[in-house]
Amino acid sequence: MKTGKSIVELAQEIERQAAAKKDYVADTRKLQMVVPDGGGVKLSLMNGARTEFAIGPTAHRQIGDRLGVPAKYYDRMLSENQSLLATNVNTWFNQTPEKRLVRTLDGQARAFLSDRYQRIDNVEVAQVVLPELLGARDLEIVSTEVTESRLYIKVISHAVKARVNSLRARRDPQVGDVVEAGAMITNSEVGLGALAVTPFFHYLWCKNGAVRNKEGMRQHHVGTRLDADDNIAGLLADDTRAVLDRGVLLKVRDVVRNAISQVALDKAIDLMNAQTEQRIEGNPAQAIEVLANEFAIGQAERSSILRHLIEGADLSRYGLMQAVTRTAEDLPSYDRATEFEAMGGRVLDLNAASWRAIATAE
């Protein structure tokens, strides 16, 4: 499990971003993609005076998606003919005008979103969740991070635990295979995911973590339209924005408590125990290939999963899940590492047909 930032570092970065971010609701006729003489496209916004922002990768993808420009063609224009890209974008900005929410941070347009996007910001989540977690007995925040796309807070309980009857535990019953209950809280300020709470399982012997997205809660960022007069761009100040219902954030707190319960953990342990008996019957390397095609896993990542599967010497479905979550530690990106922890949970939840295809691959 990747550890990311300390609590102090996380709080400092969230507060810095909260002070540095600016949001605009703008008619697209007041937006223009420009190509400065020095190169590199920017988004120009007329807000009384003209303001230019560099464009981040997420905003680029959202602009292309909204205008219906295929990603491959958009990326080719961005790398080979930026003037052509600007012409295409500006044409559609003017011919199909609409109001959009442009979220900026540190002089960069980081998101291009619907004017119905409900802003649930990381600072709000942290202000409600962190005091509850830090003040609770037997809870430990084991990993936090804020990336360009998401906030992550992972917490475990040292009091809520159970044992898996895995092959490793049967080999070494004195050590066993102990799992602690936990929860992961995630949020995206740039439209790449809901505010969510999902169960998180922490395996003591290997320090791996698995996320089970099938359970938990999700609060999507959809609300009423943001106010702005027609054909203008307006800066959205925090004191004039629609106030988020505090009940949503309190619900996050309650779902965390429910996720970290003995009942929830025991239910998951029953599933894990059953899967310790489900074996890979075919070629393990081909099993990884089928899994990789199912989950969109890259070639280097496939090799890492296979290596950890062999090192773990457990060719069960549970062993495969452990190999997937162990691979998360090898990945440089915190976002991608967390995706692999969620893939571990998906291995547990595969339907019978999908598991059969993996287990019998030759």
Side-chain angles (χ1 to χ4, degrees):
M1 176 177 57
K2 301 186 82 67
T3 55
K5 289 181 170 57
S6 69
I7 294 296
V8 172
E9 291 169 338
L10 179 76
Q12 289 174 340
E13 179 59 15
I14 288 175
E15 290 177 359
R16 186 199 73 78
Q17 291 187 9
K21 68 179 177 65
K22 292 183 178 180
D23 293 340
Y24 301 85
V25 60
D27 186 292
T28 54
R29 289 168 291 189
K30 291 295 181 179
L31 295 173
Q32 187 177 26
M33 185 175 282
V34 297
V35 184
D37 292 338
V41 298
K42 291 190 174 184
L43 188 65
S44 177
L45 183 149
M46 180 57 73
N47 180 40
R50 186 165 291 280
T51 306
E52 291 185 353
F53 302 98
I55 305 175
T58 298
H60 268 304
R61 182 60 65 235
Q62 290 167 339
I63 290 170
D65 289 345
R66 187 61 185 172
L67 300 181
V69 181
K72 187 175 182 179
Y73 181 49
Y74 188 104
D75 292 344
R76 182 179 179 186
M77 288 189 290
L78 181 60
S79 63
E80 299 179 14
N81 194 330
Q82 295 178 348
S83 294
L84 178 60
L85 174 62
T87 297
N88 275 275
V89 168
N90 294 333
T91 296
W92 293 115
F93 273 174
N94 283 281
Q95 288 190 7
T96 56
E98 61 177 343
K99 285 188 290 185
R100 302 295 289 174
L101 173 64
V102 180
R103 309 208 75 182
T104 73
L105 177 66
D106 299 330
Q108 183 180 82
R110 56 178 180 151
F112 182 78
L113 301 165
S114 166
D115 64 342
R116 292 180 60 88
Y117 185 83
Q118 184 181 38
R119 294 179 295 161
I120 304 175
D121 284 346
N122 296 335
V123 67
E124 297 171 313
V125 177
Q127 286 171 350
V128 171
V129 171
L130 288 181
E132 289 286 333
L133 299 180
L134 292 171
R137 294 180 59 188
D138 299 320
L139 292 185
E140 180 185 359
I141 298 175
V142 291
S143 182
T144 70
E145 188 59 274
V146 56
T147 69
E148 290 184 7
S149 58
R150 288 179 178 85
L151 164 72
Y152 301 90
I153 301 172
K154 299 172 185 176
V155 58
I156 60 173
S157 169
H158 298 303
V160 181
K161 61 182 68 176
R163 293 177 179 267
V164 179
N165 187 30
S166 65
L167 178 61
R168 179 186 178 279
R170 293 193 290 270
R171 289 173 181 155
D172 191 355
Q174 292 299 316
V175 176
D177 196 346
V178 179
V179 182
E180 293 176 322
M184 180 177 72
I185 302 141
T186 58
N187 185 53
S188 176
E189 296 185 337
V190 295
L192 295 181
L195 169 62
V197 180
T198 48
F200 180 80
F201 305 111
H202 183 236
Y203 299 87
L204 288 185
W205 73 272
C206 59
K207 305 302 181 184
N208 292 351
V211 176
R212 198 161 180 227
N213 285 328
K214 187 176 180 180
E215 308 288 343
M217 67 151 281
R218 299 178 67 82
Q219 174 67 39
H220 294 281
H221 294 255
V222 179
T224 58
R225 292 193 182 281
L226 299 170
D227 292 332
D229 295 334
D230 289 341
N231 199 28
I232 69 166
L235 175 65
L236 297 178
D238 283 341
D239 59 356
T240 61
R241 57 173 260 184
V243 177
L244 173 67
D245 182 0
R246 184 173 173 82
V248 172
L249 293 174
L250 294 179
K251 182 180 177 182
V252 170
R253 179 197 63 188
D254 293 340
V255 173
V256 169
R257 290 173 177 170
N258 290 334
I260 306 176
S261 70
Q262 195 68 52
V263 171
L265 178 61
D266 289 345
K267 181 180 176 181
I269 292 293
D270 287 344
L271 180 61
M272 294 178 199
N273 281 333
Q275 295 184 359
T276 63
E277 303 299 329
Q278 298 177 18
R279 310 290 296 172
I280 295 175
E281 302 166 10
N283 184 325
Q286 288 305 309
I288 301 301
E289 291 299 309
V290 176
L291 175 75
N293 291 332
E294 176 90 9
F295 290 175
I297 296 172
Q299 192 58 54
E301 296 167 340
R302 300 179 192 202
S303 298
S304 182
I305 295 171
L306 180 59
R307 182 175 72 256
H308 292 306
L309 180 66
I310 294 170
E311 290 173 352
D314 183 354
L315 297 183
S316 70
R317 183 166 171 175
Y318 177 78
L320 178 59
M321 182 271 288
Q322 290 288 340
V324 171
T325 57
R326 172 59 184 85
T327 297
E329 297 183 37
D330 301 335
L331 304 175
S333 164
Y334 194 99
D335 289 311
R336 187 60 172 164
T338 303
E339 288 176 9
F340 262 72
E341 291 172 347
M343 287 179 195
R346 288 173 63 190
V347 170
L348 292 179
D349 292 320
L350 284 170
N351 61 41
S354 294
W355 169 247
R356 186 68 181 169
I358 292 169
T360 60
E362 293 288 354

